[in-house]
Amino acid sequence: MYGDIIMAKEEILKALADAVIAGDDDEAVEYAQKALAEGIDPQEAIVDGLAKGMAIMGDKYERGEVFVPHLMIASSALYEGMDVLTPHIKTDAASRPVTGVIGTIEGDVHDIGKNLVKTMMAAAGFTMIDLGHDVPLEQFISAAKENKADLLSVSALMTTTMTGMDKISEMLLENGYRDSLVFMVGGAPVSPQYAQTVGADGTAKDAAGAVAFARESTAKLGPAEERWSDAKLSVTKTKYKDAVLKKKAAASSSGNITLETAKKVIEEYNSVGTKGVSKMSHSERIFGALGDKKLDRLPVYPLACGVARKFVPCTYKEYATVPEKFAASAEAAVKYLDVDTFVGLTDLSITSTDVGAGVTMPEEDTPSATGHLKDYEDIQIPEVKKGTRIYNHIQAAKLTMEKLHKDEINAPFVAFHEGPLLTLTQAMGADRVLHDMNTNPGDVHKALDAITDFVDEISTAFFDEGAADAICVDNLWSNNVIMSADQYWEFDGKYVYDRHLPVFKKYNAPYVIHNCADAVHFDIQIRKFGTAMYSYAYYEKNRDKGSKNYADLIPEYSDICCMMGEVDPIQFMNNDEATFQNIRNDTSKLMDGVLQTLKDSGRNSNYVMSTGCEVPPEGSLLAVKAMVDTVKEVGEDRYAKIIG
């Protein structure tokens, strides 16, 4: 009898683990109920059953045997089982599990990484309060207090939204909460150095590392009731009063860094003009690099897009919605910074808004998709005409072409819009789409079929209207950490190859991609697509996951593609001489390495000195100028010395 009970218990725990591995919601619920009926401790059923299955899936993910969609299906079963078991766990204040608050920061709808971290922490026994994506900064603070959190984890993928992490840090200090919890930040562009800069306790390169860090750090905390008592918060608030005042004073004295540095750049331009005399025009240099021609130096364009609005000056909302403001920003960027081109990136929610999703439009931040559609049938494909965001964007591009093609500027304009799968995930939510790729692929394909027609019409309209010298398409989801090469091909690559690329061939136009993901399917997106220019980011911390730099990419793809990267844009948020010198050093080191690799690969010039992602809209234009001036000042000599 006793042996039968033990065997029944082991069978139930194994069945719970197997249900998670199989992603079977019904079985997870069934065996969770059986565990309760057999008197198995619910905490044990979670830890030794459900969580064990999730740990197995996590190990497979780390080995590259499964991908994000598989983890999402497994996590669904995990949570279904936990919903049955958790209410029956008996805890007291002293033995409560670690409680964490997690979310993706305001203005950022990318939540795949955040959801992986949440799932792995839940599997490790943490109680996780998920605030979702596009979370207002104040909500992180209020949720931490309300739940007496042990852990606050804030995620961002976009460089344009990361500045909010520093503001959250300041709010924790100001409210007296800082010593009551562990503050973590994460996301592909977040480095340990940046985490330290914003005052976080740390970061991790992946979900498994985040769990390990959180477990170790929260174990050092005292009882929650003591940490969150009014007396403790009052003491902490007083403790950090001077630090808060210094932060506010520094922010006040610097004012709007972007606006103030724009004024200084303009003053210098009006005083001394453009530094140096160029032997080639901007257009000659960019198109020469595309054709791997001999140049005077490598082209340079940090992805200074929305940050350039303060030359006008105008708000980000005006930059994103008023064609005249957008065009004036682009013209000013080329004029005052002397960059070799301008990429017309405003935000990643234009096409998703037009097919039915909502959008938030802050005055001084990047617009972002919100209010995801509930059903694929809710997707409405419009014509590219007046009243749509993309039509307005095309009109802005036409004005920009007129301004950049003036003789005194003569710079190419690269338009920008989202690709098919990115449009769909922005409209429906990435979690939903990636989950449905495995469980409901027919509906995903039907939606992609319609959206691809819309994307084709957009590119056609840009070319027909004479609104671009080239078009850069954001095909973000080519990421071998998120999905396999076969799955990427099925749900995005094939649509691009069969349907979107022929538009570019019809107009004899170069296909340009921007993808700041950390582990790209380069063979598909460059070799298979025949991509002419590729804007990429490099994350050294994720090199073992497949992130590649110029030394990897130039030898492999320079026969067909001009690469564009890879200076870290996060440092452009700072506005001090030490930062400017770091940027000069990074730029010089990258330029020397690129030139030597080009020469070793038998190439002349097919590389553009740039940043891996967009310069944050609150960044320093003096920092942008430091990068551009470095290429201009030493680029010709180094090009002649190395390339000849």
Side-chain angles (χ1 to χ4, degrees), residues 530-552:
T531 301
M533 179 177 284
Y534 199 101
S535 171
Y536 72 99
Y538 173 58
Y539 305 101
E540 186 173 4
K541 67 177 182 178
N542 291 330
R543 185 167 181 81
D544 61 330
K545 301 288 187 182
S547 189
K548 296 183 183 295
N549 65 6
Y550 73 89
D552 307 305

Side-chain angles (χ1 to χ4, degrees), residues 347-370:
D347 60 279
L348 301 182
S349 58
I350 293 177
T351 53
S352 62
T353 302
D354 285 341
V355 300
V359 62
T360 57
M361 282 277 187
E363 285 295 324
E364 286 292 8
D365 207 345
T366 312
S368 59
T370 187

Side-chain angles (χ1 to χ4, degrees), residues 461-472:
F462 269 109
F463 291 132
D464 282 347
E465 294 280 342
D469 291 301
I471 299 175
C472 180

Side-chain angles (χ1 to χ4, degrees), residues 30-44:
E30 177 186 343
Y31 284 101
Q33 291 170 338
K34 284 186 178 180
L36 294 175
E38 292 295 328
I40 298 173
D41 178 68
Q43 182 68 32
E44 185 179 3

Side-chain angles (χ1 to χ4, degrees), residues 402-453:
E402 293 175 10
K403 290 180 178 296
L404 298 194
H405 283 197
K406 292 187 295 188
D407 289 342
E408 63 270 27
I409 293 181
N410 194 11
F413 172 67
V414 181
F416 189 100
H417 68 76
E418 304 93 304
L421 184 56
L422 179 56
T423 298
L424 181 60
T425 55
Q426 291 285 78
M428 299 295 300
D431 270 5
R432 167 75 179 276
V433 175
L434 293 177
H435 184 278
D436 287 347
M437 285 179 181
N438 278 18
T439 61
N440 194 20
D443 282 352
V444 177
H445 280 300
K446 184 177 179 181
L448 283 170
D449 184 62
I451 285 174
T452 302
D453 283 342

Side-chain angles (χ1 to χ4, degrees), residues 94-304:
S95 62
R96 76 166 196 164
V98 172
T99 298
V101 171
I102 191 168
T104 303
I105 205 161
E106 188 171 16
D108 202 327
V109 297
H110 300 91
D111 57 3
I112 298 300
K114 179 267 297 180
N115 289 339
L116 289 179
V117 171
K118 176 193 72 173
T119 298
M120 297 307 289
M121 286 186 174
F126 294 14
T127 298
M128 299 303 295
I129 293 90
D130 184 6
L131 303 181
H133 59 262
D134 192 20
V135 180
L137 307 186
E138 296 80 4
Q139 191 175 344
F140 284 105
I141 305 303
S142 60
K145 175 67 163 62
E146 180 183 341
N147 293 282
K148 294 184 172 62
D150 306 299
L151 172 72
L152 177 61
S153 180
V154 181
S155 172
L157 178 66
M158 298 165 61
T159 56
T160 54
T161 61
M162 290 173 61
T163 53
M165 292 175 171
D166 190 38
K167 295 173 184 175
I168 290 174
S169 180
E170 181 179 329
M171 294 164 73
L172 289 172
L173 294 171
E174 188 170 14
N175 285 278
Y177 302 167
R178 185 62 188 87
D179 291 351
S180 299
L181 48 69
V182 173
F183 176 37
M184 287 184 68
V185 292
V190 176
S191 65
Q193 294 77 16
Y194 183 72
Q196 183 178 21
T197 298
V198 300
D201 291 304
T203 186
K205 73 174 186 176
D206 53 29
V211 172
F213 178 84
R215 182 185 284 119
E216 180 181 351
S217 300
T218 56
K220 300 173 185 177
L221 296 173
E225 293 299 327
E226 292 180 13
R227 288 183 279 114
W228 286 99
S229 68
D230 290 342
K232 177 64 175 177
L233 297 182
S234 179
V235 170
T236 306
K237 191 172 183 178
T238 302
K239 172 183 173 182
Y240 290 115
K241 185 176 181 180
D242 287 345
V244 172
L245 289 173
K246 287 178 181 177
K247 274 181 171 284
K248 290 184 179 296
S252 176
S253 63
S254 64
N256 184 314
I257 288 176
T258 312
L259 180 59
E260 294 303 315
T261 55
K263 291 177 180 177
K264 290 180 180 179
V265 172
I266 292 173
E267 287 172 6
E268 181 178 333
Y269 177 87
N270 290 335
S271 174
V272 301
T274 301
K275 287 186 177 180
V277 178
S278 294
K279 297 176 182 177
M280 303 182 76
S281 70
H282 299 306
S283 290
E284 288 172 335
R285 197 174 288 117
I286 287 290
F287 288 114
L290 272 170
D292 195 34
K293 306 297 185 184
K294 280 287 185 75
L295 304 178
D296 55 345
R297 61 165 171 81
L298 293 179
V300 58
Y301 174 60
L303 286 172

